[in-house]
Amino acid sequence: RSSDLHFLMAHGHATGWVLWHCQRYRFHQVPAYGEKNWGRAFPKRWFWLQCNAFDQQTEISLTAAGGHRQVLTWTETVGMVGLHHQGQFYEFVPWNATLSWRVSPWGDWYMTAERPEYVVELHGTTNHAGIGLRAPTQHGVMYCCHHTAQGQLSLSLWRKSSRGLSLVLQATSQQAALEIGGGPWCDPWHKPDA
């Protein structure tokens, strides 16, 4: 099955260079992330959190998103959390988990997901103004997205058992990518009340 939240490489490593303001920056085996767009089902409204640079911890990569999109003649709200940690992949998607979120028009992202075996909680914040980005719309590519790569993110993963929850992972970052797009974004977006 496909949730149409397409990421191609979430826990990869890259070697190469970037040219920025006439200066070449070389890098070797740095954490890397790559994705492709949502195709024809590009959402009318979405949010996104991504991080693979956590404070004092390695081998963690997180991608989380939610969107409201049209598919053929109906619309749906979908979301996902994908977490790589120490060689394991924890997937939270509509067919195996219950997802909820509260995302403000800018500055605050909160998301939880629960499966029979695990619970994950994410909280992203930023005081940065962010930048506008272009994204596909029904009227072509337009500035309809707001993004920062200087977000704060806290991540907690618990394992469920008959005795309750036991903490598997707790991590923070000051280098999270946080984004909202589409609209309208007049008020916070709550799911399950989406």
Side-chain angles (χ1 to χ4, degrees), residues 1-8 33 35-48 63-71 74-83 89-97 99 101 111 189 191:
R1 297 184 222 184
S2 171
S3 63
D4 273 341
L5 298 168
H6 303 293
F7 56 94
L8 303 176
Y33 171 87
E35 69 175 52
K36 73 180 196 73
N37 71 31
W38 297 52
R40 288 187 178 174
F42 204 89
K44 297 188 182 314
R45 177 167 64 162
W46 72 89
F47 68 89
W48 177 73
T63 304
H68 188 74
R69 66 181 183 168
Q70 183 168 350
V71 180
W74 72 91
T75 60
E76 66 180 357
T77 299
V78 294
M80 59 85 60
V81 175
L83 173 64
F89 180 61
Y90 301 90
E91 180 185 52
F92 299 83
V93 288
W95 53 87
N96 73 9
L99 295 103
W101 58 75
M111 187 175 193
W189 184 9
K191 183 186 179 300

Side-chain angles (χ1 to χ4, degrees), residues 97-138:
T98 302
L99 295 103
S100 62
W101 58 75
R102 183 189 71 247
V103 179
S104 69
W106 185 250
D108 194 72
W109 294 252
Y110 179 77
M111 187 175 193
T112 62
E114 184 171 346
R115 290 175 39 182
E117 312 89 3
Y118 296 100
V119 176
V120 66
E121 179 182 47
L122 312 172
H123 190 201
T125 60
T126 188
N127 293 322
H128 294 276
I131 60 169
L133 296 176
R134 293 165 38 128
T137 71
Q138 289 182 337

Side-chain angles (χ1 to χ4, degrees), residues 7 32 45 64 79 108 162 167 170 173 188:
F7 56 94
R45 177 167 64 162
D108 194 72
S162 58
L167 189 65
Q170 196 158 40
S173 177

